[in-house]
Structures are given as structure tokens and as C-alpha cells.
Amino acid sequence: KISKNQTHRYFFRSYNTTTMNQADQYRKLIINLEPCKGVVYLFVRKTRQCYPNPYSCITGLGTELEKRGTDCEWTSFRSEIDRSKDGTPTFFEVPLSSTKYYLSIYATESSAYTLTVLADIGAFPRPGAAGKIEASQLRELQVQLSWSPASFIPTGISNVKKYWVYSSMLLDNDDRSNMAVFLRPDKIMNTVCGLTNNTDREYTTVLPSSCGTTCNVTVDGVITDKRYVFNVIVESARGYKMAYAGLIMKTDWEVVRQATSDKTLKVIGAVSGSVLGMVVIIYFLMLKLYG
């Protein structure tokens, strides 16, 4: 957890010669900042022993004099700080060109986050198809989710342990703050900790052995005419997790309670009425003859 206008500092170094001797396309560093709640920014500096200074480009936070610049002191690269992506994760995969990295995490409000820094990038799962999830409604209370299996770069270092599937019904006022955020800084549904915080538990888990070119799972018990968030977390055998992009779906199933058309019902009604009329007439004729 981190309070408003505070900064947490981290130092990372790697002297692993096996990693440093990798080919250029694999000699990289993953830095993944995931907000669980709130708004946090990542600032990174490499090589020189000097932590990035968020206060050099964000001043007067929460006041009329608040300013946000683009030039942050002692910063090699950083998150977007112009509010356009508040509440979104920051993921960097950069060349491992230094043995030392200095990181600053800054919060614009009381927040919670997780930070992963990993030089062995082959252990980190990468959601397939850029994290896209597809959904289709099978019947009135049933939805099928589909997603592409996760991959690893380079291969052979780790594999998928399992997929965690999450389902949550949205309230009427649960709207996205903007299209870059899923959903809002106070309800984040596309990070690992955000999903676990905003749901009671996972709906189910899926083993990679049950997946082919796609993974599929059926979600039962969805309510008609309600909006739902669906998402998937992939976990590697090394224990690293990554969330897919997520999906919002409104269930809309037409319930047919009339087995035949109105025209058919009218014809049946007319025939029934005629038969009933004939029965009544015959009844009175018999009374007249035998009464």
C-alpha cells in the first residue's frame, strides 16, 4: 500500500552471466507495475545511482496549482502521467543493457499495487492474442468464454500451470472512466490483484491440457439483461501471473413463451369457436326432438 503523494523506491541489480549472455532478442528486463486500487506511476532510471524524482514533473498535487510536465529528473523511462491512463498497469520490456536499475513508484491517491522485475523473461507468461477474450451466450443462463493460450519467449524455460477464470456482475453505476481503463481506478479488473480484490473468488480453473488452439469454459448462472465482467489470469509453473485484457458483456436472451405464431393461434381460435357453436346448436336440436 502507498499513501497519496508518497514515493516508494526500489533497487534492482543482476549479475547473472547466463542471462547476460543471452541473444539480444532474449536479453531483456520485464518491469510490470499493476495497480490493485488507485493510481500509481512507475519511474525508472538505469546505471547511475540516482532514484527518479516524480516531484520534478508532478507539482501541487490536488490543488489548483497542480502541474504535470514531461521532463522528470533522473528518469530513463516512465508511465504516462497525463491522467489518460490512470488505473492501468505499466508494463515495460526493455533491453538488459545495465546491471543496475533504480525504480520509484509514485501515487496520486491512496493506492495498492504489485511490482514485478524479472530478467529471466522466459518464465513470464504472455496472454495469447494480446489478451483478447471472446464470449457467446449459449442459452438463457449460460455464457461460453474463449481465449488463446498463453506463450513464453523464449520457450522451454516455463509453461502454463493453469488458467484462473473470473466472473463478476456489474452494478448499474459501474462505468468505465475512459476506454483505456478497465473499469475505474477504484475498481480495477484487468490486473491480478485487482481481480482478486474485486471478486469473492475465481469462478473456476482450467488446465492447459484441456486447451487446443483455444481454451473454452462455460459460465452458468448468469442473469438475463445484466452486465458482467469476465477475465482470465494465466499462471506459469514458476508462479508468475498475468491477466488477460478482460471483457464486458451484457446478457440478452430472448425468452420465447409462445410456441406458435399469433396467426396460428387465431386460426385455432376460429376453428375451436366454430366447433363449439356447432356443438351448442346440435344440443338444442336434440332437446327439441327428444325433450
Side-chain angles (χ1 to χ4, degrees):
K1 294 182 178 181
I2 183 171
S3 300
K4 178 180 178 180
N5 203 31
Q6 284 192 352
T7 298
H8 290 173
R9 292 176 173 178
Y10 299 91
F11 171 62
F12 173 83
R13 67 179 179 182
S14 176
Y15 296 118
N16 188 326
T17 55
T18 302
T19 302
M20 298 300 289
N21 289 330
Q22 292 272 8
D24 288 346
Q25 65 266 34
Y26 303 138
R27 191 173 64 248
K28 296 182 179 181
L29 180 69
I30 287 177
I31 307 174
N32 184 34
L33 173 66
E34 293 195 345
C36 309
K37 179 182 179 182
V39 179
V40 286
Y41 300 139
L42 171 65
F43 301 80
V44 182
R45 180 177 178 83
K46 57 184 181 179
T47 307
R48 295 185 60 185
Q49 188 174 354
C50 199
Y51 287 93
N53 181 16
Y55 305 101
S56 63
C57 48
I58 302 177
T59 59
L61 181 68
T63 69
E64 296 180 354
L65 301 177
E66 180 177 335
K67 292 182 180 180
R68 303 196 182 197
T70 57
D71 187 15
C72 303
E73 290 180 352
W74 313 316
T75 302
S76 301
F77 44 91
R78 58 169 173 77
S79 306
E80 293 289 344
I81 62 172
D82 60 0
R83 300 188 186 88
S84 62
K85 295 185 177 181
D86 285 2
T88 63
T90 298
F91 182 89
F92 291 130
E93 186 173 9
V94 297
L96 188 59
S97 56
S98 173
T99 58
K100 298 179 181 179
Y101 289 82
Y102 300 86
L103 300 88
S104 295
I105 309 296
Y106 176 79
T108 62
E109 59 184 68
S110 294
S111 307
Y113 67 89
T114 61
L115 176 66
T116 302
V117 184
L118 182 64
D120 191 6
I121 63 172
F124 197 82
R126 301 167 188 265
K132 182 181 179 182
I133 299 175
E134 295 182 347
S136 58
Q137 191 158 359
L138 300 180
R139 57 187 64 180
E140 185 178 355
L141 303 177
Q142 198 173 76
V143 170
Q144 178 175 280
L145 303 180
S146 303
W147 65 92
S148 297
S151 61
F152 296 84
I153 302 175
T155 59
I157 295 177
S158 188
N159 51 33
V160 175
K161 180 180 179 181
K162 69 174 78 172
Y163 297 94
W164 304 73
V165 180
Y166 289 85
S167 170
S168 178
M169 187 174 67
L170 296 178
L171 302 176
D172 293 337
N173 60 349
D174 278 338
D175 297 319
R176 301 179 72 165
S177 55
N178 66 64
M179 292 307 296
V181 184
F182 195 80
L183 293 164
R184 306 183 306 272
D186 64 335
K187 190 171 185 177
I188 299 171
M189 301 295 286
N190 65 335
T191 65
V192 175
C193 59
L195 281 168
T196 55
N197 286 352
N198 290 295
T199 55
D200 293 333
R201 58 181 177 84
E202 75 279 2
Y203 175 77
T204 189
T205 58
V206 177
L207 295 177
S209 58
S210 64
C211 299
T213 55
T214 60
C215 302
N216 301 290
V217 69
T218 300
V219 179
D220 295 304
V222 294
I223 302 175
T224 304
D225 201 31
K226 293 292 183 180
R227 292 184 306 147
Y228 281 83
V229 165
F230 299 107
N231 210 343
V232 175
I233 291 175
V234 54
E235 180 182 358
S236 73
R238 295 272 294 273
Y240 295 101
K241 295 180 180 180
M242 187 68 174
Y244 277 64
L247 171 74
I248 297 176
M249 177 183 182
K250 183 176 181 179
T251 55
D252 184 13
W253 190 263
E254 183 180 356
V255 181
V256 180
R257 303 186 184 281
Q258 185 172 296
T260 55
S261 66
D262 289 337
K263 184 177 180 180
T264 303
L265 290 176
K266 290 176 181 178
V267 172
I268 293 173
V271 174
S272 300
S274 300
V275 173
L276 178 63
M278 292 179 63
V279 170
V280 172
I281 292 172
I282 291 172
Y283 175 75
F284 281 108
L285 285 174
M286 292 178 67
L287 286 176
K288 186 175 181 181
L289 291 173
Y290 301 102

